[in-house]
Structure formats: structure tokens, C-alpha cells
């Protein structure tokens, strides 16, 4: 490793730019750090490809410091002029490397750190079994900023893209001041920004209800606008982001529940309980009349004869999608397999039938002033109520040898059955992994899933299902934090909602949601209107090579083009008044309409120096992950756009946001 160490053409290459001949994807080399920039603990892990494990070789770690290399040998850091020792030699195996341990990082501030392995150093270079694992942040605050001082900003921006609907300049400063854990605790303490409590709407649309009335009462439009306003400006960003993830796991779709008044209470269940206990969510979701209507549990009475069956729709999805999944899972999320290598089912049809019977006897809540009935008419303000004579209360054998006694009330049967299901070992890894996929990465390692499952099983005080502990574990895990990630399967495709909100928040924008609703509908993510109970995209969607990538379930030729057009209409072709860009004008039929706009003045002020403009967008939009080649190209394109500062700024934003570096969040 010297300055002429690796070349692709005539240029020195950092990892990920020239790797066609290597083993990228077959091995792991990654880094993490904890502490503060003034007092860091940095570490690396190197995992050889399966075919290389056990072979003789060495583990190598080096830091590029202002075009000079420092090498981590058995006795510590040495300059490359003293040779290029391996950190460890011997049979190649998974290796943890303490790069620095509670030391001042002044000597290697801004250094790019690489780690890898090989039979020899030359073999590692030739086979490209190494990766850039992080850039050491600069000490912060400091009197004279270093070129990489923005790394502190970039780390905060990356965290905020996982924990909120997008990083803002103000929130980046807040995270840097508080620290990650304290910021999370502060978010836990904020009151919930809820959906409006709307009055009952008649089930049939009255003749005098015009198009605007129909939009506001017989569609989810007012809830969608509330969603976007909360996503962009509500202070309880973490709660809103977690609630949105939960809404894509515990799905009720407006395709069926399409009156705003009937749907709002369901979303409030998820907002109110985003930091609560998953067991409470199980009960409240089950007894939600919106869920009861959507998956046919409401007015599901006991069979009147042996030839009849209770409706199994909700029972099946409760097991398959909302709690344990199709197959038995290890705590690390991997599937348990039998002696023939086949996945072991987590339940069978008989278990679905039993849960369907347990769930009989529930009807809509009683309307104010009405008398209770065997089957109450549709009404959505309150939980469903039980009618004992409609409930099938025979004994039933459930999971883990538990037998539900005969003769119990509907309420007792439901509580006991949900308790039994809640204790199933699948719930932690099944729900935890999906939350990781929504917030951080589509392909969490089994170890990451296991750590989150442990937090679900025990919050440290003996409590199971504490979502505060789960969220904290997800966001503070070493795989979520640390330096830049270069693994090809790390991160996730930004779903359309996040493309718009993260860009608007980064640019200091505001929206009443109207324009965003239409834009994201064309990108196949019409908020709250998923096409089925399987969400906008299947949770288990995978690419052709088997890589899990749920969000790619709605990424195709049409939506790929639509994404770019969406960004162009938002940034480049939208109306400009001074430096204020307005892609969506106020709709005069919407009460309190503001439209969608953002002020580019802070970025326009940097446009005289294209490099400074690009570097700030690297922090705000890419949290410091922009590769040198991309930076060089962007600086050239921005310069070529002319001398008008606004044109330069719009060009830089559009090209950055349309790039795969922004579309796929790492």
C-alpha cells in the first residue's frame, strides 16, 4: 500500500471504483466506532470469503493520511516506509481488529481506513479482498476546520436519515450537541403528533356531497396531507418514522377502508404506541374496527354447524404477516431447517383454524345512542366489542404446549391467545428485522438481527416487546453507526416517500402534502393505499441474485423513469421566484393550503465555488458517501451549467438526487 498501490487506468483508486476482478460480495471488511470525535474507539472486522477461510495468509489494516500510508502491525501503527506488515498472520478466519482504543485521533484525523486479507499483500491487491471501512472524523469543535470536518455533520445526517424523514441543518446541529443516545431519549419524551379526530361520516355518500366533499370525507386525502405535514415539520420525527414503518408491517389499506374518519383511529394506534409495547399493539390492532373490516374479523360469528368454518382471513395474516411469519426462525432471523434442508413451518392450517375460532364474537363498537346488537352496524370510533353468544369458546391447543381452557369469555380467550402468540420466539426476529429494513438496511447481518431480537426479548429490565429498546438497539447498533459502508448489499433503496421528504427537509422546504400525494401515487407509493395487505412491496422481495431488497418491489422501468422526472419537476422545471422554488402551488380548494416550496438561498450562496456547493450536498443528501470520481464529475457539470448561481444550484441538487448514490441510501 503506497500511493501507487492500486491503479485503474492512470488514477489511484479507492475501493469500489474498480473491482470487476475481485471477490466483492463474498467477504466482509467493515468498521465501526463509538465515543466522540475527541475520544474514539475504532474497530474493524474482517471476514474472509468461505473458500479462503483456513488458508494461510494475513489480515491487513492501513490508513491513508494525506497521501501517506500508516499501517497497523502487531505492535501498533507504523509508517509504510518501515514495510507493510500484516496485523495478524496464520490461518485466515474472522478477525476483530482494535484499530484505536480510547486514543486522541489527532494523528489520523480525516484518514481513510482500509482493511482486508490475502495469502500475501500482493494477493490481496490482485484479488481486491479489501474495503474502505471508514473515514476517521475530525476533532470537533475546532478553531480551524479541516477538509473532513464535515464528517461530523455527515455522520449526524446519516443517523437522521434513518431516524427521521430527513436531515435538516438545525437537526444536524442538535444531534451533534446532544449525542445520538440523548437525541433518541429526547425524541421518546416528545408528545405525539396525531391524526385528527374526525366526526362520523355516513357509510353511503350523500347525493349533495360534491367532489371536494368526497375527497375530504370519502377518501384518505386529509390523512395523507397530515402525514406529509408531520413527516416534514413535526418535532416527534422518530415517532413518525417508526409509526410509518409499523403501518407497512401491520397493513390496513385505504383501498378498502376509504373514509377518513374510519381510518384515522387506526393510524393513531400506531403513532401512540410507536414507543410502547408490541403486545399492546397486538391487542389494539386486533380490535380496531378498521382492521376488523379490512381482514373480515368484524361480525365473524362462531360456526352454526360442524360443516361451517369461521372466517380465517385475519387469523392467517395475524400469524403470517403481523407476528411470527411462515417459518420458524432462529433469534438471528435465519430460517430453521429440517434434516433435508427444508424450512420448518411456524404454524399449520389447523393453527389458523384455531385462531379463527378464538377471534369469533367481535362486532363494531356501539354508536352513541344506539342499543347494542348481535351484529352492530359499521362504526369506527372505538375498539370492537364482544358478543359472548357469537363466540366459540371450546378448548384449543396453541403454541408451546399451551391449552386454552374451554368456557372462557371472548375477552379472556383473546388476551390469552395473544399472550401465547406474543411469547413465540419468532416475534422478536420477525418484527425486528423488518424494522431494521425500513430504517437502516435491507440486508442486516444475522448478528445485527440477533442483537435487536435480544432487545425485544428483554429491554434490560426483564420486559419483553419494549419498542423503545428495539428502536434504540436498531439505531445505535454498530451496523447502523460507524464510518462509510462499502458493502455492495448494504443500505436500502429509498422508497418514494423518503425521496421527497428527505430532499425537502434537506433543502429547508415545506409542503401541505398535496403535491407529494400525486407525485408518489405515480411512483406506486400512494400513502395509506397499499394494493394489498402485503404492503406496497413484499417484505421478502429479493433481487435475482437472492439479495433481499424489499423496496425494489416497486422499482421497475416505469417507476425508475418516473423518479427522475419527479426530481426534475421538483428541482429544475418548477417555478422560481428569486431563490424560492415552488413545484406545487397552493390548491385553493384545500383549507390552509400552502403548496410545496423550498428556499435555495443558503446553497445559492455557495454556488460561486462549485466544489463548496457539491461538498455541502454531499453532507446533506449523501451523508459524506460521495465518491471522488462522482465529486469531480459534479463539480465539472455545475461549472459547465454557466455562471448563474441559481442554475448552478438547481443543477447540482438534481444531479445529486438523481444519482444512485442518493437513490440507494448507505
Amino acid at each position: 500500500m503506497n500511493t501507487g498501490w492500486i491503479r485503474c487506468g492512470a488514477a489511484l483508486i479507492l475501493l469500489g471504483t474498480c473491482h470487476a476482478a475481485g471477490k466483492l460480495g463474498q467477504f466482509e471488511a467493515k468498521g465501526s466506532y463509538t465515543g466522540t470525535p475527541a475520544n474514539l474507539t475504532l474497530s474493524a472486522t474482517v471476514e474472509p470469503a468461505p473458500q479462503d477461510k483456513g488458508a494461510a495468509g494475513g489480515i491487513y489494516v492501513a490508513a491513508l493520511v494525506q497521501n501517506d500510508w500508516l499501517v497497523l502491525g502487531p505492535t501498533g501503527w507504523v509508517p509504510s516506509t518501515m514495510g507493510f506488515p500484516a496485523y495478524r498472520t496464520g490461518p485466515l478466519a474472522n478477525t476483530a481488529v482494535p484499530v484505536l482504543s480510547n486514543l486522541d485521533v489527532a494523528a489520523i484525523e480525516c484518514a481513510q481506513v482500509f482493511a482486508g486479507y490475502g495469502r500475501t499483500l500482493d494477493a490481496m491487491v490482485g484479488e481486491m479482498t479489501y474495503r474502505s471501512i471508514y473515514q476517521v472524523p475530525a476533532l470537533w469543535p475546532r478553531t480551524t476546520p479541516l477538509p473532513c470536518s464535515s464528517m461530523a455533520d455527515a455522520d449526524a445526517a446519516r443517523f437522521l436519515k434513518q431516524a427521521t424523514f430527513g436531515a435538516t441543518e438545525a437537526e444536524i446541529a442538535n444531534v451533534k450537541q446532544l449525542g445520538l443516545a440523548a437525541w433518541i431519549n429526547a425524541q421518546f419524551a416528545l408528545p405525539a403528533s396525531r391524526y385528527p379526530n374526525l366526526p362520523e361520516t355516513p357509510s353511503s355518500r350523500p347525493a349533495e356531497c360534491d367532489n371536494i366533499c368526497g375527497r375530504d370525507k370519502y377518501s384518505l386525502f386529509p390523512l395523507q396531507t397530515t402525514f406529509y405535514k408531520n413527516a416534514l415539520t413535526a418535532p416527534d420525527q422518530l415517532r413518525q418514522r417508526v409509526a410509518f414503518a409499523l403501518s407497512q408491517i401491520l397493513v390496513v389499506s385505504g383501498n378498502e377502508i376509504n373514509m377518513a374518519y374510519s381510518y384515522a383511529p387506526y393510524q393513531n394506534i400506531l403513532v401512540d404506541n410507536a414507543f410502547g409495547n408490541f403486545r399492546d399493539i397486538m391487542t389494539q390492532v386486533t380490535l380496531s374496527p378498521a382492521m376488523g373490516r379490512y381482514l373480515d374479523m368484524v361480525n365473524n360469528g362462531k360456526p352454526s354447524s360442524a360443516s361451517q368454518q369461521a372466517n380465517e382471513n385475519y387469523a392467517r395474516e395475524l400469524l403470517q404477516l403481523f407476528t411470527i411469519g411462515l417459518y420458524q426462525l432462529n433469534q438471528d432471523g435465519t430460517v430453521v431447517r429440517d434434516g433435508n434442508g427444508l424450512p420448518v413451518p411456524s404454524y399449520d392450517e389447523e393453527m389458523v383454524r384455531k385462531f379463527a375460532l378464538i377471534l369469533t364474537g367481535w362486532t363494531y363498537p356501539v354508536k352513541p345512542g344506539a342499543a347494542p346488537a348481535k351484529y352492530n352496524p359499521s362504526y369506527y370510533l372505538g375498539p370492537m366489542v364482544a358478543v359472548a353468544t357469537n363466540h366459540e369458546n371450546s378448548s384449543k391447543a396453541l403454541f408451546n404446549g399451551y391449552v386454552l381452557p374451554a368456557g372462557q369469555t371472548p375477552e379472556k380467550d383473546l388476551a390469552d391467545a395473544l399472550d401465547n402468540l406474543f411469547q413465540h420466539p419468532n416475534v422478536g426476529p420477525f418484527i425486528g428485522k423488518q424494522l431494521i429494513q425500513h430504517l437502516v438496511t435491507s440486508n442486516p447481518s444475522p448478528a445485527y438481527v440477533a442483537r435487536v431480537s435480544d432487545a425485544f426479548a428483554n429491554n434490560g429490565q426483564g420486559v419483553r416487546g419494549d419498542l423503545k429498546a428495539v428502536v434504540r438497539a436498531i439505531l445505535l447498533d454498530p451496523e447502523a453507526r460507524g464510518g462509510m459502508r462499502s458493502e455492495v448489499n448494504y443500505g436500502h433503496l429509498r422508497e418514494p416517500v423518503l425521496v421527497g421528504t428527505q430532499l425537502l427537509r434537506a433543502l429547508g422546504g415545506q409542503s401541505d402534502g398535496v403535491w407529494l400525494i400525486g407525485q408518489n401515487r405515480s411512483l406506486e407509493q400512494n400513502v395509506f393505499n397499499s394494493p394489498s395487505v402485503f404492503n406496497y412491496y413484499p417484505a421478502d422481495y429479493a433481487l435475482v441474485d437472492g439479495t433481499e431488497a424489499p423496496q425494489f418491489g416497486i422499482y421497475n422501468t416505469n417507476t425508475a423513469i418516473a423518479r427522475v422526472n419527479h426530481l426534475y419537476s421538483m428541482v429544475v422545471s418548477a417555478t422560481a421566484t428569486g431563490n424560492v422554488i415552488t413545484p406545487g402551488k397552493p390548491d385553493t380548494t384545500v383549507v390552509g393550503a400552502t403548496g410545496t416550496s423550498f428556499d435555495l438561498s443558503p446553497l445559492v450562496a455557495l454556488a460561486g465555488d462549485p466544489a463548496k456547493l457539491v461538498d455541502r450536498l454531499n453532507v446533506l443528501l449523501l451523508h459524506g458517501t460521495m465518491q471522488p470520481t462522482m465529486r469531480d464529475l459534479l463539480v465539472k457539470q455545475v461549472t459547465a451549467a454557466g455562471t448563474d448561481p441559481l442554475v448552478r444550484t438547481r443543477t447540482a441538487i438534481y444531479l445529486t438526487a438523481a444519482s444512485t448514490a442518493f437513490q440507494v441510501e448507505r
Side-chain angles (χ1 to χ4, degrees):
M1 285 187 180
N2 50 52
T3 52
W5 174 43
I6 297 177
R7 294 186 179 276
C8 183
L12 176 67
I13 294 302
L14 298 181
L15 183 68
T17 311
C18 179
H19 57 252
K23 298 179 180 178
L24 205 59
Q26 298 180 43
F27 71 97
E28 291 285 357
K30 54 191 176 184
S32 63
Y33 51 81
T34 58
T36 67
N39 190 27
L40 284 173
T41 298
L42 295 87
S43 62
T45 56
V46 179
E47 180 178 343
Q51 65 269 31
D52 295 333
K53 290 183 179 179
I59 303 294
Y60 297 88
V61 178
L64 182 60
V65 184
Q66 298 179 348
N67 294 322
D68 291 323
W69 289 97
L70 286 176
V71 185
L72 183 62
T75 60
W77 291 95
V78 296
S80 58
T81 54
M82 297 177 61
F84 225 95
Y87 170 76
R88 186 185 65 78
T89 58
L92 294 173
N94 297 357
T95 304
V97 183
V99 178
L100 288 177
S101 180
N102 295 322
L103 296 176
D104 187 333
V105 300
I108 58 171
E109 283 181 286
C110 303
Q112 192 84 3
V113 179
F114 295 79
Y117 75 94
R119 297 183 305 279
T120 64
L121 178 63
D122 287 342
M124 182 183 77
V125 172
E127 297 180 3
M128 300 198 72
T129 47
Y130 68 95
R131 285 192 172 129
S132 169
I133 58 173
Y134 47 61
Q135 182 177 14
V136 179
L139 294 174
W140 182 89
R142 60 184 303 119
T143 303
T144 305
L146 292 177
C148 80
S149 292
S150 63
M151 280 302 299
D153 288 0
D155 287 342
R158 178 181 179 219
F159 170 77
L160 289 168
K161 287 180 175 66
Q162 298 165 348
T164 74
F165 281 93
T168 66
E169 295 278 13
E171 208 58 56
I172 288 173
N174 192 26
V175 167
K176 288 167 61 177
Q177 179 180 3
L178 293 176
L180 304 185
W183 184 91
I184 291 173
N185 289 335
Q187 286 284 305
F188 286 161
L190 290 174
S193 300
R194 305 177 82 246
Y195 291 86
N197 295 317
L198 301 172
E200 179 191 1
T201 300
S203 297
S204 298
R205 178 174 168 178
E208 66 271 17
C209 184
D210 60 16
N211 288 339
I212 295 175
C213 165
R215 178 198 67 191
D216 292 344
K217 293 185 177 180
Y218 291 90
S219 83
L220 302 188
F221 177 81
L223 306 183
Q224 292 176 307
T225 58
T226 299
F227 167 82
Y228 282 111
K229 285 185 283 190
N230 285 347
L232 290 171
T233 62
D236 57 328
Q237 280 287 300
L238 181 57
R239 180 186 295 274
Q240 298 298 318
R241 183 68 189 274
V242 173
F244 184 49
L246 289 170
S247 76
Q248 297 189 69
I249 299 171
L250 306 159
V251 175
V252 169
S253 174
N255 288 347
E256 177 72 22
I257 312 300
N258 55 12
M259 292 187 295
Y261 111 90
S262 64
Y263 195 88
Y266 183 76
Q267 285 303 316
N268 279 332
I269 289 173
L270 304 181
V271 170
D272 292 344
N273 292 280
F275 300 148
N277 194 287
F278 191 73
R279 176 63 182 82
D280 295 329
I281 290 179
M282 291 171 64
T283 297
Q284 293 182 40
V285 162
T286 297
L287 295 183
S288 162
M291 179 63 81
R293 166 74 182 279
Y294 184 54
L295 292 180
D296 306 316
M297 180 181 151
V298 70
N299 293 334
N300 180 27
K302 67 180 180 182
S304 59
S305 69
S307 62
Q308 290 183 322
Q309 289 184 327
N311 189 292
E312 297 178 354
N313 201 7
Y314 180 69
R316 188 178 308 279
E317 306 309 351
L318 174 65
L319 299 176
Q320 178 182 344
L321 299 178
F322 300 165
T323 54
I324 63 175
L326 290 172
Y327 304 112
Q328 291 184 27
L329 301 175
N330 297 304
Q331 287 302 286
D332 64 4
T334 56
V335 175
V336 175
R337 298 184 180 275
D338 62 19
N340 295 317
L342 299 176
V344 178
S346 57
Y347 61 90
D348 56 18
E349 288 300 311
E350 179 62 16
M351 188 64 75
V352 174
R353 189 186 72 81
K354 292 173 183 176
F355 268 86
L357 292 172
I358 291 167
L359 296 168
T360 56
W362 296 87
T363 186
Y364 289 105
V366 181
K367 288 186 179 183
K374 184 176 181 179
Y375 296 113
N376 291 325
S378 61
Y379 182 66
Y380 294 89
L381 299 182
M384 292 192 292
V385 296
V387 178
T389 55
N390 288 348
H391 176 61
E392 202 289 308
N393 61 356
S394 61
S395 175
K396 302 168 188 71
L398 302 182
F399 293 109
N400 198 32
Y402 175 74
V403 178
L404 191 71
Q408 298 194 141
T409 65
E411 294 89 346
K412 179 62 172 170
D413 269 2
L414 177 65
D416 288 351
L418 292 183
D419 281 343
N420 177 253
L421 187 57
F422 177 61
Q423 293 298 328
H424 193 290
N426 267 28
V427 181
F430 185 72
I431 298 299
K433 181 177 179 179
Q434 289 186 75
L435 288 174
I436 295 171
Q437 290 177 315
H438 280 288
L439 301 179
V440 178
T441 177
S442 294
N443 293 275
S445 72
Y448 189 0
V449 176
R451 291 189 290 268
V452 172
S453 297
D454 288 345
F456 185 95
N458 186 339
N459 68 351
Q461 298 177 326
V463 176
R464 178 176 175 82
D466 179 4
L467 290 179
K468 283 184 180 178
V470 171
V471 170
R472 188 182 290 110
I474 289 171
L475 294 176
L476 298 182
D477 190 87
E479 288 192 34
R481 305 275 56 82
M484 293 181 286
R485 311 297 298 232
S486 57
E487 302 94 322
V488 293
N489 62 352
Y490 183 81
H492 57 189
L493 177 71
R494 277 186 172 91
E495 54 196 299
V497 164
L498 295 181
V499 170
T501 63
Q502 293 191 349
L503 186 55
L504 277 172
R505 281 178 61 84
L507 300 177
Q510 66 79 37
S511 177
D512 56 17
V514 177
W515 184 78
L516 288 167
I517 291 170
Q519 292 292 307
N520 288 330
R521 184 186 299 119
S522 69
L523 297 174
E524 298 186 15
Q525 195 172 29
N526 187 12
V527 169
F528 301 149
N529 288 278
S530 64
S532 76
V533 72
F534 292 95
N535 192 28
Y536 313 99
Y537 43 81
D540 59 354
Y541 185 85
L543 304 180
V544 292
D545 65 354
T547 300
E548 291 181 276
Q551 292 85 354
F552 274 94
I554 53 173
Y555 189 82
N556 51 50
T557 303
N558 291 333
T559 58
I561 295 172
R563 278 177 178 246
V564 177
N565 290 339
H566 161 61
L567 291 168
Y568 190 86
S569 65
M570 182 178 182
V571 177
V572 179
S573 65
T575 301
T577 305
N579 293 329
V580 176
I581 311 300
T582 306
K585 296 180 180 179
D587 182 337
T588 57
T589 68
V590 176
V591 176
T594 62
T596 299
S597 62
F598 48 94
D599 188 346
L600 294 181
S601 295
L603 291 172
V604 168
L606 303 175
D609 186 338
K612 287 184 178 179
L613 174 62
V614 170
D615 286 343
R616 195 59 196 161
L617 291 176
N618 182 28
V619 171
L620 291 174
L621 301 185
L622 304 184
H623 51 271
T625 62
M626 187 181 293
Q627 294 295 314
T629 50
M630 178 179 174
R631 180 182 183 275
D632 291 344
L633 286 172
L634 280 176
V635 170
K636 290 177 182 177
Q637 291 299 315
V638 171
T639 303
T643 58
D644 186 302
L646 181 60
V647 172
R648 282 185 166 187
T649 302
R650 294 171 89 168
T651 300
I653 295 169
Y654 170 66
L655 292 177
T656 303
S659 71
T660 56
F662 178 77
Q663 297 294 319
V664 178
E665 180 186 331
R666 295 182 184 275

